[in-house]
Amino acid sequence: QDVSGSIEAKKWKATPDDKLTFTPGNILEIDAKVTIYRDKLQLNINRATYIDSSNIDVSLFTPTSPVPLNELKNKLDQYINSIENTSLKTITKYIIDKYYKDFISYPAATKNHHEYSSGLIHHTLSMADIAKSLCNLYQLDYDFLIAGALLHDIGKLKELSGPVLTKYTLEGN
């Protein structure tokens, strides 16, 4: 699969080495022939090479937020900069910055809601929008609500395994 969709693929006459290459979650470069099987496209893989994904944007290979990541990043910056309480702003910014790469790429869950790449930041900003709306309706402490909304799910970065084949970690369980 990639961001455009998924297609069934088969590797016939697999070797013992293929078991290591075709591990779920691996990113592969493949040479394959497209065939039709039962009225659906299918790939018959001739060759596959493992690609180190440490420097690859995994959102190209997983479902991703319906809101572009640049918009989410800008909105996050706006919310952090809107906090006037210096201590809250410093703490919030420090924690977000410390985990930034994972914070903007992790899903918010394994299923049910925001279970896609950049789902955590998308969900977090939705919660900040709700907190802001509550502040407009009631006399509440904006800074505390926004800081709380931005940090309320930061533990997901330890609870979940990451944006590819997301599972609960041992620590998360």
Side-chain angles (χ1 to χ4, degrees):
Q1 77 176 20
D2 66 12
V3 73
S4 68
S6 62
I7 185 170
E8 187 173 301
K10 300 288 183 186
K11 172 71 165 97
W12 304 107
K13 299 179 185 174
T15 67
D17 288 342
D18 287 331
K19 285 185 178 181
L20 298 173
T21 302
F22 290 97
T23 300
N26 281 357
I27 296 176
L28 307 175
E29 178 182 307
I30 64 167
D31 171 47
K33 181 179 178 182
V34 178
T35 61
I36 296 176
Y37 179 70
R38 293 189 178 176
D39 296 326
K40 290 186 179 179
L41 293 177
Q42 181 184 82
L43 297 176
N44 286 335
I45 299 172
N46 299 318
R47 178 193 56 78
T49 306
Y50 171 80
I51 304 294
D52 178 16
S53 63
S54 60
N55 294 320
I56 294 176
D57 178 3
V58 295
S59 69
L60 297 172
F61 302 96
T62 60
T64 190
S65 170
V67 178
L69 184 56
N70 281 340
E71 285 183 35
L72 296 171
K73 289 177 182 179
N74 289 336
K75 191 172 184 180
L76 176 64
D77 289 342
Q78 289 171 2
Y79 269 123
I80 291 171
N81 290 327
S82 74
I83 299 171
E84 293 179 0
N85 179 305
T86 308
S87 297
L88 279 177
K89 185 178 198 170
T90 301
I91 291 167
T92 303
K93 184 165 176 31
Y94 173 81
I95 293 171
I96 297 284
D97 287 349
K98 182 175 181 178
Y99 300 104
Y100 188 76
K101 182 181 175 199
D102 291 340
F103 184 75
I104 65 168
S105 65
Y106 269 48
T110 60
K111 58 183 175 182
N112 298 329
H113 79 92
H114 301 89
E115 67 275 17
Y116 41 76
S117 183
S118 299
L120 181 57
I121 187 174
H122 186 212
H123 166 70
T124 297
L125 294 173
S126 297
M127 298 307 294
D129 289 342
I130 292 169
K132 182 178 177 181
S133 295
L134 288 173
C135 288
N136 291 334
L137 291 172
Y138 305 103
Q139 292 183 349
L140 302 172
D141 189 319
Y142 174 88
D143 290 348
F144 274 100
L145 260 70
I146 295 302
L150 294 179
L151 298 176
H152 84 279
D153 265 343
I154 201 74
K156 296 280 186 180
L157 301 177
K158 296 285 185 194
E159 180 182 16
L160 301 174
S161 62
V164 178
L165 295 174
T166 306
K167 298 178 271 211
Y168 286 97
T169 63
L170 181 60
E171 189 176 13
N173 277 324

